[in-house]
Amino acid sequence: MGTKVKPYGKADSTKKEEVAEMFDNISKRYDFLNHFLSLGIDRIWRKKAIRILSKSNPKIILDIATGTGDFAIAALKLKPTKIVGLDLSAGMLEVGKQKMKKKKVDHIIEMVQGDSENLQFESDYFDAFTVGFGVRNFENLEKGLGEMLRVLKPNGMGIILEFSKPKKFPVKQYFKFHSKYIIPKVGSAISKDKAAYSYLPESVAAFPEGQDFMDIMQKVGYREITSKLVGGGIATIYAGKK
């Protein structure tokens, strides 16, 4: 199971290939655009997610769809011994590696290329995983969720931060306008990739959210599943245990 929306809509490529190509294309401007278009609120959401994860006191953490490593950096507050940041995009990882060196945390955070739906790690290895705005990019959602569960230790916790569709005024109207007009126009002007920032609202609209997503997590095998709306419903923090 996964969303049908692809960044470029090519007939001869998979969603996975197009997502990797998209993030390679926008990698050099991604951090600036991400924080600019979200007004920096995404940092607050990550901090809230990390507070939820702190209850399990994880020492070895996997950050899936790490991009340039913002969630991995936020997880340093938990004082882990090791964080592995994994992403499909070589371009995003390269930016992330330079960021880790600059912050002098590359001895704790290792940035590696890999496929979330076919993880290269042994089972029962990580104390926790995080995913920030990445699961809606999975080609096969259930397979990706299952792989993340496989590499978790028993009782390990997974935290998934993902966009949702706000339901209440005025956030609903603001988010709709921001997604339809601001994100595509500003994003394409700065990144020079129009499709990338048109894909964002399209992928959010197509993604199962709330109880629908929690039902998929339960089907895959997660337990003690919870969800918490943030930003007036613009995003949701999901948590589940193995």
Side-chain angles (χ1 to χ4, degrees):
M1 178 178 180
T3 60
K4 303 290 185 184
V5 178
K6 298 194 295 184
Y8 303 109
K10 300 174 185 175
D12 59 346
S13 61
T14 65
K15 179 175 181 177
K16 194 177 299 182
E17 290 169 339
E18 291 196 19
V19 166
E21 179 185 352
M22 176 187 75
F23 282 114
D24 280 345
N25 289 342
I26 66 175
S27 58
K28 291 193 170 45
R29 303 298 290 164
Y30 176 81
D31 277 346
F32 168 77
L33 275 167
N34 193 34
H35 300 314
F36 174 76
L37 291 171
S38 71
L39 306 177
I41 298 171
D42 58 306
R43 292 188 178 101
I44 297 172
W45 298 341
R46 288 188 187 90
K47 287 179 180 178
K48 289 184 177 181
I50 292 301
R51 278 201 294 270
I52 295 172
L53 187 57
S54 67
K55 300 170 188 175
S56 64
N57 193 31
K59 294 303 176 189
I60 305 176
I61 302 171
L62 174 63
D63 184 37
I64 294 280
T66 193
T68 63
D70 280 348
F71 219 159
I73 290 168
L76 288 170
K77 188 174 183 180
L78 303 174
K79 301 191 184 312
T81 55
K82 181 179 181 182
I83 301 175
V84 177
L86 179 136
D87 203 278
L88 272 175
S89 167
M92 295 287 275
L93 287 168
E94 187 54 40
V95 175
K97 285 176 183 176
Q98 296 307 314
K99 188 190 291 187
M100 300 313 158
K101 287 179 182 176
K102 188 175 181 180
K103 290 181 176 289
K104 297 185 169 138
V105 294
D106 52 315
H107 61 294
I108 299 175
I109 301 176
E110 179 187 7
M111 305 290 276
V112 300
Q113 190 168 19
D115 181 356
S116 308
E117 298 168 26
N118 187 24
L119 295 172
Q120 62 263 48
F121 311 108
E122 61 187 77
S123 299
D124 306 327
Y125 181 74
F126 293 95
D127 297 310
F129 73 72
T130 55
V131 193
F133 310 109
V135 290
R136 76 179 187 285
N137 297 323
F138 288 3
E139 189 156 23
N140 187 317
L141 181 57
E142 288 186 16
K143 188 176 180 184
L145 289 171
E147 271 292 272
M148 294 189 293
L149 187 65
R150 177 184 67 80
V151 301
L152 265 187
K153 291 177 182 177
N155 293 312
M157 179 179 282
I159 293 285
I160 298 168
L161 172 60
E162 189 53 86
F163 286 115
S164 45
K165 298 178 277 291
K167 309 295 189 293
K168 296 181 179 180
F169 176 87
V171 181
K172 177 181 178 180
Q173 286 72 18
Y174 166 77
F175 184 70
K176 186 175 181 180
F177 177 82
H178 193 71
S179 299
K180 188 174 181 179
Y181 298 105
I182 304 300
I183 291 175
K185 287 186 178 180
V186 175
S188 63
I190 295 176
S191 72
K192 309 303 180 188
D193 190 326
K194 183 178 180 181
Y197 286 91
S198 296
Y199 165 75
L200 172 59
E202 291 170 1
S203 65
V204 173
F207 188 74
E209 60 172 327
Q211 190 59 52
D212 290 338
F213 183 69
M214 293 169 73
D215 288 344
I216 296 169
M217 290 180 69
Q218 185 175 36
K219 179 183 176 183
V220 170
Y222 291 84
R223 60 185 183 83
E224 297 183 34
I225 303 164
T226 62
S227 68
K228 178 181 177 62
L229 292 174
V230 291
I234 293 176
T236 304
I237 302 169
Y238 302 94
K241 286 187 175 182
K242 181 170 181 176

